[in-house]
Amino acid sequence: MRERKSGEREEPLHHIIEAQQFSRTLLEQELFPLTQQMAELAVKGGDERLADRHLFNLFYEPSTRTRISFEMAMKLLGGDVSGTENARAFSSVVKGETLEDTIRILNGYNFDVIVLRYDTEGGATRASVVSGIPVINAGDGEGQHPTQAVLDVYTIWGHFGKIDGLSVAMVGDLTYGRTVHSLAYLLGKFENMRLFFVSPQLLRIKEGVKEYLNRHNVWYQEINSIEEVAQELDVVYMTRAQTERMDQAARFDHKQGAYTLTREITRALPEDSIIMHPLPRNEELPDEVMNDPRVIVFRQAQNGLYIRMALLDMLLNP
Ligand code: NCD
């Protein structure tokens, strides 16, 4: 078990299923410093610390960043990667195999870690119940996407040098967008946060997230447009409408509101604010604002590589 600077000891992570598993201490004293080392290591071309270790990318939904960055992270640490991009079409899932059986099989084939993206909430938990090797949740339907939230918080911390006291607006589809669920849980670990949930009525942040924030005395407000708070924001976190998960009414409601970051809105944002997005972006983050230096989405995505290197090292070299 690793000892942290504070002398405090925590159980090492085994599976990564939800953002709530990450303590502040783990993030600030272990994971973020390790991520900074990984960024330097990546520039040097990596090393062999995970030689002979095998990662399986098991994806039931499309992905670019998450799958490819996990793949490159493992390779940069000397490990080996295999997987399936579309498990529903290209594996025995077509023949009715359950998620649990697929996970049991991978456990028997000498893999060391499974990165799972599943199309319904709870998939990662189900997988972890039957898996001896670590399962990393790479998105479970409308549930969570914890490694995205960790890289998001790392990016915010990298910019401001702190998280405490920041005002963060999460904008768009807050019901089905799993990245904002994980991000809200993670930001809720810090002090004096001001969280603004900006969405149409039909796409409000989930009750479970609000209950968690209430329980931890985290200040938040649900509002209808970014303009209401633009001047006081440190971070604007835009998200796309998850149309693949929404019904007609919610889609219509989303279209009616102002969930696009226009140039006009960016003019109201403070100079030292940052604009983030987990990507892929649609019309909510239009080309007309992409040259704004406050838009840091590509640095954010690149941090995903370093965070995933750090997470793999932490899980596989505890
Ligand atoms: C997100 C996801 O899959 O939840 N993508 C990502 O991993 N960066 C966001 C999205 O699909 O909108």
Side-chain angles (χ1 to χ4, degrees):
M1 198 180 296
R2 290 177 197 224
E3 185 149 3
R4 302 198 162 76
K5 281 188 203 131
S6 61
E8 178 194 340
R9 278 167 170 256
E10 279 180 37
E11 280 300 310
L13 288 180
H14 184 54
H15 303 293
I16 298 177
I17 306 301
E18 54 182 28
Q20 301 91 304
Q21 287 175 268
F22 291 86
S23 70
R24 236 191 117 139
T25 321
L26 177 64
L27 292 174
E28 291 178 311
Q29 295 193 17
E30 186 167 350
L31 191 59
F32 291 171
L34 184 59
T35 302
Q36 288 173 317
Q37 290 171 27
M38 291 299 174
E40 288 165 26
L41 182 61
V43 172
K44 290 189 203 130
D47 65 13
E48 294 295 321
R49 70 182 71 191
L50 297 184
D52 305 320
R53 313 298 281 278
H54 303 280
L55 177 149
F56 195 88
N57 263 330
L58 179 61
F59 278 59
Y60 289 71
E61 273 191 351
S63 167
T64 305
R65 277 151 293 278
T66 308
R67 187 175 52 78
I68 296 173
S69 62
F70 264 116
E71 182 168 337
M72 187 47 96
M74 190 67 179
K75 287 181 177 168
L76 282 169
L77 299 177
D80 162 75
V81 182
S82 38
T84 176
E85 282 183 45
N86 185 350
R88 290 247 171 259
F90 298 139
S91 71
S92 287
V93 174
V94 181
K95 304 180 201 168
E97 186 160 78
T98 62
L99 172 65
E100 283 80 356
D101 277 1
T102 305
I103 298 292
R104 289 184 182 107
I105 296 296
L106 294 172
N107 268 262
Y109 284 170
N110 249 27
F111 287 102
D112 297 286
V113 56
I114 299 169
V115 178
L116 171 68
R117 172 164 289 186
Y118 201 62
D119 47 12
T120 44
E121 189 166 355
T125 304
R126 278 171 54 200
S128 69
V129 170
V130 297
S131 185
I133 60 172
V135 171
I136 301 177
N137 182 2
D140 61 329
E142 55 186 83
Q144 284 214 34
H145 193 349
T147 68
Q148 176 73 45
V150 174
L151 78 88
D152 292 336
V153 171
Y154 175 73
T155 304
I156 298 171
W157 179 81
H159 181 84
F160 293 101
K162 62 163 194 172
I163 305 288
D164 290 337
L166 295 178
S167 296
V168 181
M170 290 169 236
V171 185
D173 170 3
L174 306 183
T175 299
Y176 299 104
R178 55 196 172 200
T179 66
V180 284
H181 302 153
S182 293
L183 184 58
Y185 284 120
L186 215 49
L187 290 175
K189 306 254 175 185
F190 293 83
E191 301 294 323
N192 301 319
M193 302 303 298
R194 285 160 57 79
L195 306 182
F196 296 99
F197 295 117
V198 188
S199 77
Q201 280 299 337
L202 293 180
L203 293 167
R204 290 294 197 212
I205 192 85
K206 285 186 169 182
E207 282 306 315
V209 175
K210 286 195 273 183
E211 279 159 24
Y212 176 90
L213 297 176
N214 290 338
R215 212 166 45 242
H216 291 86
N217 289 320
V218 182
W219 188 97
Y220 68 86
Q221 203 175 14
E222 296 180 276
I223 56 176
N224 295 314
S225 78
I226 322 174
E227 283 101 322
E228 292 175 44
V229 292
Q231 279 132 335
E232 15 177 330
L233 296 177
D234 298 299
V235 180
V236 185
Y237 192 93
M238 300 299 298
T239 65
R240 99 188 145 86
Q242 309 277 309
T243 43
E244 70 272 37
R245 306 186 207 285
M246 270 180 207
D247 65 23
Q248 283 297 340
R251 231 174 272 180
F252 182 75
D253 196 19
H254 191 277
K255 277 271 173 254
Q256 297 312 297
Y259 306 101
T260 294
L261 195 72
T262 58
R263 209 178 273 158
E264 199 185 326
I265 298 174
T266 62
R267 277 197 272 272
L269 294 170
E271 220 161 278
D272 188 37
S273 58
I274 52 174
I275 298 164
M276 301 175 70
H277 193 303
L279 303 177
R281 69 185 163 103
N282 294 160
E283 68 278 2
E284 70 283 348
L285 189 60
D287 285 339
E288 66 171 35
V289 302
M290 289 303 284
N291 286 333
D292 187 318
R294 293 169 295 182
V295 175
I296 58 163
V297 297
F298 297 111
R299 191 199 313 162
Q300 182 187 353
Q302 188 173 31
N303 283 340
L305 173 65
Y306 310 141
I307 281 286
R308 287 166 179 136
M309 289 170 77
L311 288 172
L312 289 172
D313 188 34
M314 241 174 65
L315 291 188
L316 299 178
N317 284 325

